[in-house]
């Protein structure tokens, strides 16, 4: 009966579960989606530091376009001004690696750009403590 229409409304039918059971099921689904998202962007998302205040999304796209197709060049902003860091997501790990080797230390605007593969917060903390 799940998904059937009765008196103009589509009904939702599932087995009854205790609150703890469905919360555990939702938590498992959420963790699975999180892991899929992490693995999809592993090795293709770059972290940029020391980004000049004059750099915006379009200038970032122009600087990194020779290395491949980008999904999303993004400068992090606060009140319309650059916060000094950003991200660029490439479509393949090879493009991202090439961009890191070519652009790290390169002068963009008036500052040398620091470029590395983006890592999750937990990974960065573990690396710093070791």
């Amino acid at each position: 009966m799940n998904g059937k229409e009765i008196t103009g409304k589509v009904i939702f039918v599932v087995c009854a579960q205790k609150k703890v059971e469905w919360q555990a099921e939702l938590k498992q689904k959420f963790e699975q989606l999180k892991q899929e998202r992490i693995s999809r962007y592993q090795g293709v998302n770059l972290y940029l530091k020391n980004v000049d205040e004059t750099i915006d999304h379009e200038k970032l796209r122009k600087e990194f376009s020779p290395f491949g197709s980008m999904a999303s060049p993004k400068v992090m902003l606060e009140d319309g001004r650059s916060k000094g860091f950003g991200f660029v997501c490439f479509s393949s790990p090879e493009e991202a690696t090439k961009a890191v080797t070519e652009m790290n230390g390169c002068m963009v605007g008036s500052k040398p750009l620091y470029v590395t593969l983006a890592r999750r917060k937990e990974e960065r903390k573990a690396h710093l403590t070791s």
Side-chain angles (χ1 to χ4, degrees), residues 72-130:
S72 58
K74 182 151 181 100
V75 176
M76 304 311 284
L77 303 173
E78 185 174 281
D79 299 326
R81 294 184 58 218
S82 171
K83 291 173 83 174
F85 71 99
F87 297 92
V88 176
C89 187
F90 283 93
S91 58
S92 77
E94 294 79 23
E95 294 170 345
T97 304
K98 187 176 178 187
V100 169
T101 56
E102 296 284 329
M103 292 299 290
N104 190 32
C106 184
M107 292 293 286
V108 177
S110 61
K111 297 180 177 181
L113 198 60
Y114 173 78
V115 183
T116 187
L117 289 173
R119 294 184 295 184
R120 292 179 35 235
K121 191 175 191 175
E122 296 84 21
E123 292 176 26
R124 288 193 316 270
K125 282 185 178 180
H127 180 71
L128 288 173
T129 56
S130 67

Side-chain angles (χ1 to χ4, degrees), residues 36-46 71-72 89-90 118:
E36 287 173 5
R37 189 176 67 239
I38 289 168
S39 65
R40 182 177 25 181
Y41 293 115
Q42 191 73 29
V44 295
N45 199 18
L46 303 182
S72 58
C89 187
F90 283 93

Side-chain angles (χ1 to χ4, degrees), residues 23-45:
Q23 283 180 331
E25 189 177 314
L26 286 175
K27 185 176 181 180
Q28 180 189 9
K29 285 182 181 178
F30 175 74
E31 283 298 319
Q32 183 181 9
L33 288 172
K34 184 178 174 183
Q35 290 302 323
E36 287 173 5
R37 189 176 67 239
I38 289 168
S39 65
R40 182 177 25 181
Y41 293 115
Q42 191 73 29
V44 295
N45 199 18

